[in-house]
C-alpha cells in the first residue's frame, strides 16, 4: 500500500512538472503557439463540433421536426449491413482504394528521388511546377477535361486507342477500363503533392553524408539507396499510415463526376451509394450511420498500422 501511494505521488509530481514545463514553453514560444490558433479553430469548428450530429445515426431522424425523432439504437447500422447492394459497394470501395494505394503510393517517392538528382535547376523547377499544377485543379474541371479527351466520337485519347488497337473503346462506360482510368487520373492529380512532402524530407538530409559517401567512392545510385531513401523512411511511414486510414475513401469527387449507371457494378463506392440512398432520398440517419462506419474503420486501421510500424522499429504518428 505504501509503495502504491508512493507511485501515485510520483505520478502526480511528474504530471505537475510536465504541466509547468509546458506552460514555460508556451510563454517562451508564445508567438509560435499563436500560429496554431487558426488550425485549432478550424478543427474545432468543422471537425469536432459536427460530431454532435453523430447521434442521428442512432435515430429515425425527422428533418422536418427534429424533436419528433425517435431513438432506434443500432437499427440504422443493421439496415446498412443488411442491404444486398452494400457488400458489392464495400468491395468496390476497398478494391479501388487498394489499387490507388499500391500503384499510386510509390510514384511520388520515385519522382522525388529522381528529381532530386536533376542537375539542371531550371528544368527541375519547371518539372516541379508541372507536377504540382494538377493538384490545384478541382475534380469538376479535371473531369470535364477527361470527358473531352475520352469522348467516344472525337476524343484525343479515344482516337489514339483506335489507331493502336483498331477498336473504339468507350472508357467512361466500359467496366473493364473505367477503374484503370480512375487509378491513372488519380495518380496524375495527386503525385505532385506527394513529391512536395518527400522533397521537404530530402532537404533536411545532412549534405556531409553525401560528401562522405562520395569520398568513399559511392556513386549517385548507392547514395540514393543508402542515404536518401533511408533518411526519408519516417516520412514514408507516416504517409503510409495516413493513406491506410483512407481505405474507405475511394474518392467521391472523382467518381461522382465521371461515373454513370453503366459502371455502377465496378465504380459504385460507399460515398456515392450513400449520396443516392441517404442524401437524395433524405434518409439522413442512414447516411450518418454509413459515415460513422467509415470513421470507425479508419480509426482502427490507423491505430493498427501505427502499432505495426512502431513494432518494426519505425516512428509512428504518436
Amino acid at each position: 500500500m505504501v509503495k502504491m501511494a508512493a507511485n501515485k505521488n510520483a505520478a502526480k509530481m511528474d504530471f505537475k512538472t510536465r504541466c509547468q514545463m509546458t506552460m514555460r514553453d508556451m510563454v517562451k514560444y508564445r508567438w509560435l503557439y499563436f500560429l496554431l490558433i487558426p488550425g485549432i479553430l478550424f478543427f474545432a469548428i468543422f471537425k469536432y463540433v459536427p460530431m454532435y450530429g453523430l447521434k442521428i445515426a442512432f435515430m429515425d431522424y425527422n428533418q422536418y421536426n427534429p424533436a419528433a425523432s425517435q431513438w432506434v439504437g443500432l437499427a440504422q447500422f443493421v439496415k446498412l449491413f443488411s442491404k444486398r447492394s452494400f457488400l458489392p459497394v464495400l468491395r468496390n470501395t476497398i478494391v479501388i482504394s487498394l489499387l490507388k494505394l499500391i500503384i499510386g503510393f510509390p510514384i511520388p517517392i520515385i519522382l522525388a528521388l529522381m528529381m532530386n538528382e536533376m542537375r539542371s535547376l531550371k528544368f527541375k523547377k519547371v518539372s516541379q511546377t508541372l507536377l504540382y499544377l494538377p493538384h490545384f485543379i478541382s475534380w469538376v474541371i479535371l473531369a470535364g477535361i477527361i470527358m473531352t479527351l475520352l469522348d467516344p466520337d472525337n476524343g484525343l485519347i479515344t482516337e489514339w486507342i483506335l489507331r493502336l488497337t483498331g477498336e473504339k473503346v468507350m472508357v467512361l462506360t466500359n467496366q473493364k477500363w473505367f477503374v484503370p482510368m480512375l487509378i491513372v487520373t488519380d495518380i496524375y492529380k495527386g503525385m505532385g503533392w506527394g513529391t512536395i512532402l518527400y522533397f521537404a524530407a530530402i532537404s533536411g538530409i545532412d549534405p556531409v553524408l553525401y560528401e562522405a559517401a562520395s569520398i568513399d567512392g559511392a556513386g549517385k545510385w548507392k547514395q540514393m539507396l543508402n542515404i536518401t531513401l533511408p533518411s526519408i523512411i519516417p516520412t514514408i511511414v507516416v504517409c503510409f499510415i495516413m493513406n491506410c486510414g483512407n481505405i474507405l475513401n475511394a474518392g467521391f469527387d472523382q467518381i461522382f463526376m465521371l461515373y454513370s449507371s453503366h459502371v455502377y457494378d465496378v465504380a459504385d463506392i460507399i460515398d456515392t451509394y450513400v449520396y443516392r440512398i441517404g442524401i437524395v432520398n433524405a434518409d439522413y440517419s442512414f447516411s450518418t450511420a454509413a459515415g460513422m462506419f467509415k470513421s470507425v474503420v479508419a480509426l482502427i486501421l490507423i491505430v493498427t498500422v501505427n502499432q505495426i510500424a512502431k513494432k518494426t522499429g519505425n516512428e509512428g504518428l504518436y
Side-chain angles (χ1 to χ4, degrees):
M1 294 293 292
V2 174
K3 188 175 182 180
M4 290 177 62
N7 289 336
K8 287 183 179 179
N9 291 331
K12 289 181 180 179
M13 290 297 293
D14 289 341
F15 178 75
K16 185 178 180 181
T17 303
R18 288 197 298 268
C19 289
Q20 290 175 348
M21 293 177 63
T22 302
M23 290 302 297
R24 284 198 297 266
D25 287 341
M26 291 182 70
V27 172
K28 184 178 180 180
Y29 304 107
R30 55 187 177 278
W31 295 115
L32 293 178
Y33 281 96
F34 182 78
L35 295 175
L36 291 174
I37 293 177
I40 293 173
L41 290 176
F42 171 81
F43 281 99
I45 296 172
F46 296 103
K47 301 296 181 179
Y48 288 101
V49 172
M51 284 185 181
Y52 178 74
L54 290 177
K55 66 178 183 179
I56 297 175
F58 305 96
M59 303 169 64
D60 184 8
Y61 185 70
N62 185 340
Q63 65 269 27
Y64 302 107
N65 185 11
S69 302
Q70 297 179 350
W71 289 93
V72 294
L74 299 176
Q76 297 295 342
F77 295 93
V78 173
K79 176 182 175 182
L80 176 67
F81 296 123
S82 61
K83 281 184 175 290
R84 288 185 177 181
S85 54
F86 180 71
L87 286 180
V89 166
L90 179 61
R91 179 201 64 207
N92 293 340
T93 304
I94 295 173
V95 168
I96 293 173
S97 294
L98 285 178
L99 287 174
K100 287 182 177 181
L101 180 63
I102 294 170
I103 300 174
F105 184 76
I107 290 180
I109 302 172
I110 296 170
L111 284 173
L113 293 173
M114 292 175 63
M115 295 179 68
N116 186 56
E117 302 299 332
M118 288 183 178
R119 295 183 179 181
S120 175
L121 187 60
K122 288 185 178 180
F123 183 72
K124 184 177 181 179
K125 289 182 177 181
V126 171
S127 301
Q128 289 175 342
T129 303
L130 292 176
L131 280 175
Y132 301 159
L133 186 61
H135 175 76
F136 300 100
I137 301 175
S138 71
W139 273 115
V140 177
I141 298 173
L142 195 58
I145 297 173
I146 293 170
M147 286 188 285
T148 301
L149 293 174
L150 295 176
D151 186 273
D153 295 323
N154 53 11
L156 180 61
I157 295 178
T158 305
E159 290 295 326
W160 288 351
I161 295 174
L162 178 61
R163 293 180 183 181
L164 290 173
T165 64
E167 298 180 6
K168 181 174 284 188
V169 180
M170 300 176 66
V171 177
L172 294 175
T173 56
N174 190 308
Q175 294 188 6
K176 178 182 177 181
W177 292 103
F178 189 81
V179 173
M181 182 274 298
L182 291 178
I183 308 302
V184 171
T185 53
D186 182 75
I187 292 172
Y188 168 73
K189 190 176 188 301
M191 62 184 179
W193 178 251
T195 58
I196 294 177
L197 302 176
Y198 299 117
F199 271 132
I202 291 172
S203 65
I205 301 174
D206 191 349
V208 175
L209 296 175
Y210 293 105
E211 294 174 4
S214 181
I215 292 172
D216 290 339
K220 291 293 184 181
W221 178 253
K222 288 187 176 181
Q223 289 179 26
M224 182 184 69
L225 291 179
N226 297 290
I227 298 175
T228 309
L229 190 57
S231 297
I232 64 173
I233 286 294
T235 305
I236 294 174
V237 171
V238 171
C239 291
F240 181 74
I241 293 172
M242 298 299 291
N243 277 280
C244 286
N246 289 320
I247 287 295
L248 294 186
N249 289 324
F252 171 77
D253 294 341
Q254 177 194 22
I255 295 175
F256 184 72
M257 294 296 169
L258 294 171
Y259 85 147
S260 63
S261 58
H262 298 89
V263 291
Y264 276 175
D265 290 342
V266 296
D268 197 18
I269 60 173
I270 293 177
D271 290 334
T272 55
Y273 176 76
V274 168
Y275 175 80
R276 291 200 319 275
I277 304 299
I279 305 300
V280 175
N281 296 337
D283 193 348
Y284 299 117
S285 295
F286 179 82
S287 59
T288 305
M292 192 171 181
F293 165 71
K294 287 177 52 182
S295 299
V296 171
V297 172
L299 176 62
I300 293 172
L301 286 173
I302 287 178
V303 172
T304 303
V305 177
N306 185 72
Q307 290 300 319
I308 294 173
K310 292 177 73 173
K311 287 184 177 181
T312 54
N314 295 296
E315 294 183 8
L317 288 175
Y318 54 89

